[in-house]
Amino acid sequence: MSDKIFNEEHDETLETKCHDCGAILNFAPGTNHLKCKYCGAENEISSESDEPIEELDFDAFAKEAVKPEDTMQVATVKCTACGASSTLKPNISSDMCPFCSTPIIVTGGTMTSIIKPKSLLPFKVTQKEAYDGFKKWIKKLWFAPSALKKYATHPEKLKGMYIPFWTYDSDTYTKYSGARGTHYYVTETYTENGQTKTRQVQKTRWTPVSGSVNHFFDDILIVASNSLPRKYVDRLEPWDFENLANFDERYLSGFQTETYQVDLKSGFDLAKKVMESTIRNLVRRDIGGDEQRIYSMNTQYSNITFKHLLLPIWLSAYRFKKKVYRFLVNGRTGEVQGERPYSFWKIFFFILGILAVIAGTLYLLGVFDK
């Protein structure tokens, strides 16, 4: 099996083998070079281009008017349990799926044509640093199963993955209809304890309104994976996009890469939902008044551009009672997020212990003797 993850026309530029011992070089997180784990030799990754990272035209790609140079062939293996497609490791015949911990027998990879990533954030956090953060996070989990804490003693369970993302830019123009609520007060008379009193009561006068708002959205980030819990991926933010590097396969050496499951069009549908909350707030502000009602919003999107990029995540998947729990570490900042299981018996004995303490305290106070 080839030691190259992606196949391109210009693969002669790749230097993934050690010149001294012939072993495969791996990218060293936090550096700008490949390193041999056997002899320590290092090869610097020199930037081939200082050009700004290009935004691509969404409409052109959505109509499948894709230029050959904007696509690439990638060899992947698909997990039959969770459906994740990730790149093959060289000379590996069996492995565990990094997304659901299901055993995978590699019988051959599938060549898939995908939109080529234009940029990535290389790994900055090492496996040891990610593992230390992971252990600290596990220790803070109350009522976690003992098996989980034992699982966390195996650093090899933490896999370095480049996860696909889309970013979208778009101009938006939204026409809306609604109502503006203006507060006013009336004096109300009431009786309390036989006395007549007055009080001010708030009322709302509603006025029909309509109008439009414009807004430009920049870099709406959408994870292009269905294999990870989206809300936990979102909590890994922020990402230091000012340090994005032009795509270079050598950054991928020693890591696995997932290919996108959320295609370009579906990703933009998700981006629209993100934009909607901002647009709704803009509409409310435009309506003004003390309260607002929105009856309809019709948004037009124009000048849509996108980027396909890869972001680094240390990933671990733990199975407990037939359910998969995933743990994620931001490969740039070390931020840890994840799902967690609860041990029924730990909770049961904790509650039992509290009841025993309460019963013992009441006994010492002589409550039961009365």
Side-chain angles (χ1 to χ4, degrees), residues 65 92 94 114 116 127 130 188-189 205 284 313 337 346:
I92 295 294
S94 64
I114 64 170
K116 181 180 178 179
Q127 185 184 47
E188 183 180 86
T189 302
R205 181 181 295 109
R284 290 188 182 279
I313 294 178
Q337 291 290 334
K346 283 190 175 182

Side-chain angles (χ1 to χ4, degrees), residues 42 150 317 331 338:
E42 297 180 355
K150 183 178 180 181

Side-chain angles (χ1 to χ4, degrees), residues 155-271:
E156 71 278 1
K157 299 290 187 180
L158 212 55
K159 307 290 185 182
M161 297 287 301
Y162 280 101
I163 303 300
F165 284 77
W166 304 108
T167 68
Y168 298 93
D169 295 356
S170 179
D171 284 312
T172 62
Y173 172 73
T174 303
K175 296 182 67 175
Y176 68 84
S177 66
R180 179 188 302 114
T182 304
H183 293 164
Y184 66 96
Y185 295 85
V186 297
T187 301
E188 183 180 86
T189 302
Y190 68 101
T191 301
E192 182 178 352
N193 298 325
Q195 295 182 341
T196 301
K197 297 183 179 181
T198 61
R199 59 188 173 193
Q200 295 293 303
V201 178
Q202 179 182 292
K203 302 286 185 178
T204 304
R205 181 181 295 109
W206 292 99
T207 305
V209 295
S210 62
S212 63
V213 294
N214 297 278
H215 190 71
F216 171 70
F217 288 92
D218 183 39
D219 284 343
I220 299 297
L221 184 66
I222 300 296
V223 59
S225 170
N226 289 325
S227 308
L228 296 175
R230 191 172 297 274
K231 69 176 181 179
Y232 293 110
V233 175
D234 292 342
R235 291 176 186 174
L236 292 178
E237 297 183 29
W239 297 91
D240 53 329
F241 289 129
E242 66 276 9
N243 294 315
L244 276 174
N246 285 292
F247 179 76
D248 189 318
E249 290 185 40
R250 288 172 292 187
Y251 288 118
L252 311 185
S253 185
F255 298 94
Q256 288 180 265
T257 306
E258 185 188 16
T259 55
Y260 55 80
Q261 297 167 295
V262 178
D263 62 27
L264 183 62
K265 294 179 183 178
S266 300
F268 189 62
D269 288 337
L270 293 173

Side-chain angles (χ1 to χ4, degrees), residues 316-328:
S316 186
Y318 167 73
R319 282 187 173 272
F320 180 69
K321 293 186 176 180
K322 298 182 180 181
K323 185 177 179 180
V324 178
Y325 297 86
R326 299 171 182 86
F327 312 103
L328 317 172

